[in-house]
Amino acid sequence: MTKPNILFIVADQHNAKVLGHQGHPDVKTPHLDGLAREGCRFNNAITQNPICSPSRVSFLSGQYPHNHGYYSLSGPNPGGLPNIFGHFRAAGYFTAAMGKIHCPEYWVEDQCDVFHESNSWGAGSIVGRSKEYTRFLRERGVDELEDHILLPEFGERGRQSVEGRPSPLAFDESQEGWLAHTAIATMQRALHREQPFLLHVSFPRPHQCTTPCQEFWDLYDGKALSLPPNADYDLASANKAPHMIASARRWREGAWPLFEPKTFEAGRLRKLRGYLGAVSQVDAAVGSLLDFLRKTGQAENTIVVYTSDHGDYATEHGIMEKAPGICSDAITRVPLIWRAPGRVEAGGAVDDIVELVDIPNTLCALAGIDLMETSDGRDISGLLAGVGQREDRIGLTEFAWSKSIRKGQYRLVHYPRAFFPDEYPDGFGELYDLGADPWEMRNQYFDSDYQHIVSELRGELLERLITTTRPRTVSGVNSARFDTPEVNPQRAQRYQTVVNLDGKINPALLHSAANKNYL
């Protein structure tokens, strides 16, 4: 079989519930709904970090944050950490990345034949917006109107605003429209070279500013929008985390609305309308990409993946954006849809827990190339085909000082005792029974009936952190037992230790070590 093309699409900050096929009462996402019908959707896909850069490093490398070490935005080059672009390029693929890449400097771009960072906030991979996109906007005379990260009419006060209003840009001038056009031209270039492609398209929306183009804003004109069931309740009585309670209070009492009426209730409806419109705008851009694949006959030989780096509260819990993200399923669970005719069961819906770190090795398996040994993720292609052996999986989300673990219907958040020393000197945590409480309105962490679940998930968390950690050196492993670098290009000999290309020891070698005295 010819090597498949890969179209890997990411939206920024897409709440997994805000999709038509997930039963959202208002949102219009016809193209993503069609993608789900033609492919397989995962209903419980877990991101590895609740903010942009760390999540992106995770799903592009396949490593957990406790291994790659990134917990904040951008950062220096990770030095030797493989990513999917270099791995697929070595396998003969034309590689390209465009949009809000938002990764450590020169980690992605050096492995790509085509690279465009469209983020203009100054936190992109190489800091600054794509020259091609800037030139395009200036030729149209609309550069000063570009508003995906700033409401220009409010100056600095409009930066990172969650306020909603229609954008003055036409769709083809927006980030989503321009990226779709540029992605199509890039696919045409790869096809002209008769080379399979790995194309990563990362749309900035629905991340704020929630300013969809007029046509998508108008989709929700005059509609009585449905607030989520957890939009208005007493967080303190529900034993929510202190910083989450404080965040909800700031949104309710703060002077953040910029348009009239400047009330919390009116502001959040504008936010919600803009958010839904932005999701529909991303959906339209996805539709353009899928139409190109169909018209050129490439749809049958192209793996399409759609996901998001993390979620958004989208007015859940009275919060307008994504912080504090570790607290909520609205942030840690993301959309994940795969389409690959002949490789993926059409119409599949998988409830098993999977993680975004599973993406790289699943792509490798579907493409028929070697798996990435530096990836912590699994190959879930069996689940995609409907023949995989289902197992009791867990999903891990990390901040540096807090961790969330999802297993079955339960989600635990662990904080060190020093996190809330004044409010909870004996320690604080969160436990949600998503089977009984899908909107997470009751923290059961202190409930005596749930202590066995708290204990079990704490143990699972400790086990996962220990057994997946990649050490640089370790005693007890006899390197002579393993392949030499000459027969495995993903490994290198460093003195008496065989390491992967990131300079670390694969945890699989620790699992199989005969002598564990020093492990």
Side-chain angles (χ1 to χ4, degrees), residues 1-5 196 301 343 367:
M1 182 179 289
T2 305
K3 284 183 180 178
N5 303 310
N301 193 44
R343 296 176 171 89

Side-chain angles (χ1 to χ4, degrees), residues 209-342:
C209 299
T210 41
T211 55
C213 298
Q214 188 74 53
E215 63 204 86
F216 303 105
W217 176 265
D218 289 346
L219 286 176
Y220 304 94
D221 183 36
K223 188 173 180 62
L225 298 178
S226 307
L227 290 171
N230 57 2
D232 295 298
Y233 72 105
D234 186 353
L235 277 69
S237 297
N239 287 325
K240 304 297 282 191
H243 59 333
M244 187 177 189
I245 294 171
S247 178
R249 183 183 303 116
R250 284 193 298 270
W251 286 109
R252 188 168 290 276
E253 299 175 359
W256 62 271
L258 300 174
F259 302 109
E260 295 290 347
K262 294 183 179 181
T263 64
F264 169 75
E265 289 76 14
R268 73 173 171 182
L269 285 175
R270 289 192 297 268
K271 145 71 183 187
L272 185 56
R273 180 179 179 180
Y275 187 80
L276 298 178
V279 170
S280 294
Q281 183 161 314
V282 169
D283 180 82
V286 171
S288 297
L289 299 175
L290 298 178
D291 284 346
F292 169 80
L293 293 177
R294 295 185 187 101
K295 290 175 181 177
T296 56
Q298 295 299 314
E300 296 302 302
N301 193 44
T302 300
I303 299 166
V304 180
V305 184
Y306 177 86
T307 190
S308 182
D309 54 350
H310 50 74
D312 184 289
Y313 280 104
T315 74
E316 290 190 38
H317 307 286
I319 298 175
M320 300 301 110
E321 49 112 31
K322 64 175 178 293
I326 202 79
C327 296
S328 180
D329 171 74
I331 310 302
T332 61
R333 186 165 62 90
V334 293
L336 181 59
I337 307 170
W338 294 70
R339 180 192 180 278

Side-chain angles (χ1 to χ4, degrees), residues 118-388:
S118 66
N119 182 32
S120 59
W121 185 33
S125 300
I126 50 177
V127 185
R129 192 171 62 193
S130 164
K131 293 180 181 178
E132 286 80 357
Y133 182 48
T134 298
R135 185 182 305 115
F136 168 81
L137 292 175
R138 289 176 179 169
E139 288 173 354
R140 293 284 188 99
V142 295
D143 188 27
E144 299 303 316
L145 300 179
E146 206 280 315
D147 57 358
H148 91 282
I149 206 70
L150 171 73
L151 296 174
E153 66 267 36
F154 291 98
E156 284 302 302
R157 192 166 176 237
R159 185 174 296 281
Q160 288 279 13
S161 171
V162 300
E163 266 282 17
R165 63 142 171 81
S167 174
L169 297 178
F171 176 62
D172 69 324
E173 296 166 343
S174 71
Q175 293 263 350
E176 287 67 38
W178 184 83
L179 285 168
H181 174 81
T182 304
I184 288 170
T186 303
M187 289 188 282
Q188 289 173 324
R189 177 176 169 185
L191 295 175
H192 180 72
R193 292 172 55 160
E194 298 184 343
Q195 196 174 2
F197 60 77
L198 166 59
L199 171 58
H200 175 44
V201 184
S202 184
F203 296 118
R205 289 182 173 87
H207 186 291
Q208 68 268 24
C209 299
T210 41
T211 55
C213 298
Q214 188 74 53
E215 63 204 86
F216 303 105
W217 176 265
D218 289 346
L219 286 176
Y220 304 94
D221 183 36
K223 188 173 180 62
L225 298 178
S226 307
L227 290 171
N230 57 2
D232 295 298
Y233 72 105
D234 186 353
L235 277 69
S237 297
N239 287 325
K240 304 297 282 191
H243 59 333
M244 187 177 189
I245 294 171
S247 178
R249 183 183 303 116
R250 284 193 298 270
W251 286 109
R252 188 168 290 276
E253 299 175 359
W256 62 271
L258 300 174
F259 302 109
E260 295 290 347
K262 294 183 179 181
T263 64
F264 169 75
E265 289 76 14
R268 73 173 171 182
L269 285 175
R270 289 192 297 268
K271 145 71 183 187
L272 185 56
R273 180 179 179 180
Y275 187 80
L276 298 178
V279 170
S280 294
Q281 183 161 314
V282 169
D283 180 82
V286 171
S288 297
L289 299 175
L290 298 178
D291 284 346
F292 169 80
L293 293 177
R294 295 185 187 101
K295 290 175 181 177
T296 56
Q298 295 299 314
E300 296 302 302
N301 193 44
T302 300
I303 299 166
V304 180
V305 184
Y306 177 86
T307 190
S308 182
D309 54 350
H310 50 74
D312 184 289
Y313 280 104
T315 74
E316 290 190 38
H317 307 286
I319 298 175
M320 300 301 110
E321 49 112 31
K322 64 175 178 293
I326 202 79
C327 296
S328 180
D329 171 74
I331 310 302
T332 61
R333 186 165 62 90
V334 293
L336 181 59
I337 307 170
W338 294 70
R339 180 192 180 278
R343 296 176 171 89
V344 171
E345 183 182 34
V350 179
D351 290 328
D352 295 57
I353 293 167
V354 297
E355 301 174 291
L356 293 193
V357 288
D358 296 334
I359 290 174
N361 274 343
T362 305
L363 287 174
C364 291
L366 293 174
I369 69 173
D370 290 339
L371 303 188
M372 294 178 66
E373 289 192 3
T374 47
S375 170
D376 300 323
R378 311 183 192 197
D379 166 18
I380 59 171
S381 58
L383 291 176
L384 286 167
V387 297

